[in-house]
Amino acid sequence: MPYARSTVSHEQPRADEEPEAVRAAVGQARAAAPAWEALGHRERGARLLRWRRVMAGRLDEIVALLEREAGKVRADALVELAAAFEHLGWAARHAGPVLRRRTVRSGPLMFNQRSTVEYRPYGVVGVIGPWNYPVHTPLGSVSYALAAGNAVVLKPSEHTPGTGRWLAETFAEAVPDMPVLGVVTGDGGTGAALCAAGVDKVAFTGSPGTGARVLAACAPSLTPVLLELGGKDALVVADDADVDAAVEAALWGGCANAGQSCAGIERVYVAEGVYERFLARIARRAPEIRGGGTGGDYGRMALPGQLDVVRRHIDDALARGARAVVGGPGSVVPPDVVTGPVVLADVPEDADAVREETFGPVLVVNRVRDAEEGVARANASAYGLGGAVFARRGGVRLARAMRTGMVSVNDVLTFTAVGALPFGGRGRSGFGRIHGADGLREFAAPQAVTRRRFAAPLAIQTFARGPRDLRHFELLLRRRG
């Protein structure tokens, strides 16, 4: 059955057991939440840091699990865990300063009031995690929600249930007296049951189609939702860019984790002044990168069905007149391997490989007049998650012109591992933020409080006011106009 503690069976649930088991997990979390909130930020942070130490002490276990369930090579697993540990530590240490009660100015009209604002936990947060980064991505919600004082019920992807269970087991080892992190396993039916189980907020990472269904499932109860729905991220290369560095970054951003990164680079727009040099360099460098598992630079595709998407995008681009600079249809080897990077040039902007999320080690490299046109092409996408710019001059200006939630300048994907930075997108990439101060506030509701310190000289907000009060109040308003 789906389980909420590490002592429960690891077997997959039957469909008719899911709603009842999910409600039980949410009920257990709700019962545990008040004591967790009462600990305060400092004590919760100490327990979260203890959890991180437990996970680090069992590093080989989770690396092996990521290799087995998600198809990662060891290097990709370690990179994922490093980012996850960074964000867990940041949330643990900064929840107090970000969310604590603070005094704000009351203004001249309410100068007799003391005004404060603080951020209070929602209660129970449901987190629905993905399969491509089954530790780092859900922890971006789980750790920030816990640090803010909530209890959490996590539904990992049905393709990586063991990873979700491992997170619950290590938390129970670090914090044995407070069952505020529960796990329920299963497919989309379990996710739907979680949305309907009375949680106070849902954080979902996945495809736009599934995200829309999560939003619809939460609408009847007006349950707030955070959605991170993927991207079609672009790298823009200016005329004055370091071409060799841009090529290396494009290959890493596009092919790490077998290209299965929501913020990975899928499109590259190169200014015409350096386009041929960029293309020649990537044609030499890309064949040196090997994929597909043991001994490779990146692992297998986690879902065999995703291989069909990769193949379709390559075939569609070539049928529309694109050319394969590196690799091609022959790089796609069933059931789950893309043997090396596929680099496609001169791809029409209406091709699937430009418009849709490929989620595989495929790079579209297109010529543009200059970096400004590259940014315009990047912004033409319905997605708006992340992006990158390579330029020796004006890089920040170009980055600010990109319609995305995050941008790296002269690098790629660096924002994912900076604890203080928010992560999230615009448009088809969803809404809401994890990580950083914005991520902490995402899992806490602001509460404003005013407290009267003394009686106001003018009695206005009372029916006991007199004509004199109104005359003076009107005079005050005229002077403030």
Side-chain angles (χ1 to χ4, degrees):
M1 59 183 292
Y3 85 73
R5 292 296 303 272
S6 60
T7 56
V8 182
S9 169
H10 290 200
E11 295 178 1
Q12 283 286 71
R14 296 199 315 265
D16 60 352
E17 292 179 329
E18 288 176 355
E20 180 182 350
V22 173
R23 285 194 296 270
V26 172
Q28 178 176 325
R30 191 167 300 285
W36 178 251
E37 179 185 0
L39 285 176
H41 296 300
R42 184 185 297 274
E43 289 301 318
R44 286 196 301 270
R47 285 160 174 77
L48 292 175
L49 292 174
R50 188 188 309 154
W51 183 27
R52 189 173 70 166
R53 289 193 295 273
V54 169
M55 287 194 285
R58 297 172 59 176
L59 193 68
D60 287 339
E61 292 178 21
I62 189 58
V63 168
L65 194 52
L66 290 171
E67 290 172 332
R68 183 169 67 254
E69 282 196 325
K72 296 178 184 286
V73 295
R74 186 175 183 85
D76 280 339
L78 293 173
V79 168
E80 175 177 355
L81 292 168
F85 289 174
E86 164 66 19
H87 287 292
L88 176 54
W90 198 94
R93 293 188 175 101
H94 291 85
V98 171
L99 303 178
R100 68 189 176 197
R101 183 172 56 192
R102 68 182 190 275
T103 301
V104 299
R105 296 185 65 177
S106 298
L109 289 178
M110 293 291 159
F111 71 98
N112 68 320
Q113 302 286 331
R114 181 177 183 268
S115 301
T116 60
V117 61
E118 66 178 312
Y119 295 84
R120 307 296 303 276
Y122 280 99
V124 179
V125 174
V127 176
I128 303 174
W131 48 264
N132 59 325
Y133 288 97
V135 174
H136 173 245
T137 301
L139 274 188
S141 297
V142 170
S143 58
Y144 283 72
L146 289 171
N150 302 280
V152 175
V153 177
L154 167 66
K155 192 210 86 70
S157 166
E158 61 269 33
H159 303 289
T160 55
T163 302
R165 289 191 286 259
W166 187 88
L167 292 174
E169 290 169 359
T170 52
F171 184 86
E173 180 180 337
V175 191
D177 56 331
M178 292 195 170
V180 289
L181 175 57
V183 169
V184 292
T185 59
D187 58 13
T190 306
L194 182 58
C195 292
V199 294
D200 301 296
K201 185 161 188 172
V202 171
F204 169 81
T205 303
S207 70
T210 305
R213 290 194 289 273
V214 168
L215 196 59
C218 292
S221 59
L222 298 180
T223 302
V225 179
L226 183 158
L227 298 176
E228 197 274 275
L229 304 179
K232 191 68 183 176
D233 291 8
L235 164 61
V236 176
V237 182
D239 281 307
D240 66 345
D242 182 334
V243 171
D244 287 351
V247 165
E248 200 65 31
L251 288 169
W252 167 257
C255 300
N257 202 43
Q260 300 168 124
S261 301
C262 57
I265 300 299
E266 298 199 2
R267 299 175 291 154
V268 185
Y269 293 109
V270 186
E272 60 185 358
V274 293
Y275 180 75
E276 295 299 338
R277 186 150 56 97
F278 184 97
L279 215 56
R281 174 59 183 160
I282 203 169
R284 293 194 303 272
R285 177 68 178 107
E288 299 172 354
I289 299 170
R290 295 175 296 121
T294 305
D297 296 294
Y298 62 82
R300 60 175 173 82
M301 305 294 289
L303 303 185
Q306 194 62 33
L307 209 66
D308 296 333
V309 176
V310 173
R311 184 188 296 107
R312 175 170 60 82
H313 284 196
I314 295 171
D315 291 344
D316 176 72
L318 296 177
R320 291 170 178 267
R323 55 195 174 100
V325 176
V326 179
S331 303
V332 180
V333 180
D336 55 14
V337 171
V338 180
T339 58
V342 176
V343 180
L344 305 173
D346 305 324
V347 182
E349 291 292 307
D350 62 350
D352 292 343
V354 174
R355 295 184 303 108
E356 299 179 8
E357 193 171 25
T358 304
F359 230 57
V362 178
L363 285 169
V364 168
V365 181
N366 281 349
R367 184 197 307 262
V368 290
R369 182 181 63 256
D370 52 28
E372 284 72 18
E373 183 185 349
V375 170
R377 294 269 192 97
N379 288 345
S381 172
Y383 292 93
L385 189 57
V389 173
F390 268 75
R392 286 191 169 91
R393 297 181 302 277
V396 172
R397 174 181 58 82
L398 292 168
R400 296 185 68 241
M402 295 189 79
R403 193 187 65 88
T404 60
M406 302 83 59
V407 186
S408 294
V409 178
N410 295 328
D411 216 325
V412 291
L413 295 173
T414 46
F415 46 74
T416 62
V418 178
L421 287 178
F423 184 97
R426 301 169 59 176
R428 197 168 168 80
S429 292
F431 49 81
R433 293 295 183 269
I434 57 174
H435 303 167
D438 293 272
L440 284 167
R441 294 189 188 102
E442 192 76 47
F443 296 103
Q447 184 181 50
V449 176
T450 57
R451 179 173 61 83
R452 194 176 83 161
R453 299 182 296 156
F454 52 84
L458 295 179
I460 298 300
Q461 291 184 287
T462 171
F463 290 118
R465 65 194 173 210
R468 175 183 172 278
D469 293 311
L470 287 177
R471 284 198 305 273
H472 283 281
F473 186 58
E474 182 175 345
L475 180 62
L476 178 62
L477 288 180
R478 291 181 185 280
R479 288 177 177 175
R480 290 178 56 82

